[in-house]
């Protein structure tokens, strides 16, 4: 029988992050799921800058989940700054191209 060849495909985002309103100190998850072949690598950007996760910095409070979502152990927010507040996008890449999710804003409640 003829073998069905699986074509390599460029990434596409199948689950986009949505806007979040989170209390400070609470955990939060920004969803992102991408499909493609080979499986795309996912990176997150906040306000245009790449988000560092525990892969780069083991002390980071942000974890990239296996599916591509971004998990915050707790939302950091202090008098000196709002390191987690901003507009996030997730970008999925493989050798055929990249896909960018819709923007999702994360806001910290209770100001």
């Amino acid at each position: 029988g003829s073998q069905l060849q699986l074509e390599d495909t460029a990434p596409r985002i199948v689950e986009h992050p949505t806007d979040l309103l989170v209390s400070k100190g609470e955990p939060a998850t920004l969803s992102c799921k991408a499909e493609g072949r080979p499986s795309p690598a996912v990176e997150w950007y906040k306000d245009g800058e790449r988000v560092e996760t525990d892969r780069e910095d083991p002390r980071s409070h942000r974890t990239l989940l296996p599916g591509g979502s971004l998990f915050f152990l707790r939302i950091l927010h202090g008098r000196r700054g709002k390191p987690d507040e901003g507009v996030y996008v997730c970008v999925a890449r493989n050798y055929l191209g990249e896909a960018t999710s819709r923007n999702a804003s994360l806001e910290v409640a209770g100001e």
Side-chain angles (χ1 to χ4, degrees), residues 16-89:
H16 291 265
T18 53
D19 293 351
L20 287 184
L21 181 63
V22 189
S23 302
K24 86 175 175 197
E26 293 293 308
T29 304
L30 282 165
S31 305
C32 179
K33 198 170 174 188
E35 285 178 356
R37 181 180 297 273
S39 287
V42 171
E43 290 184 331
W44 283 87
Y45 291 83
K46 174 173 97 72
D47 300 331
E49 298 205 356
R50 205 165 87 70
V51 172
E52 288 214 339
T53 60
D54 58 356
R55 288 187 182 182
E56 293 89 14
D57 179 359
R59 292 165 319 188
S60 174
H61 66 294
R62 292 181 289 239
T63 301
L64 186 61
L65 299 178
S69 296
L70 186 63
F71 175 69
F72 299 82
L73 292 171
R74 61 191 177 284
I75 293 298
L76 299 182
H77 199 79
R79 283 190 214 99
R80 298 181 173 205
K82 309 176 178 184
D84 291 327
E85 205 164 65
V87 176
Y88 289 79
V89 296

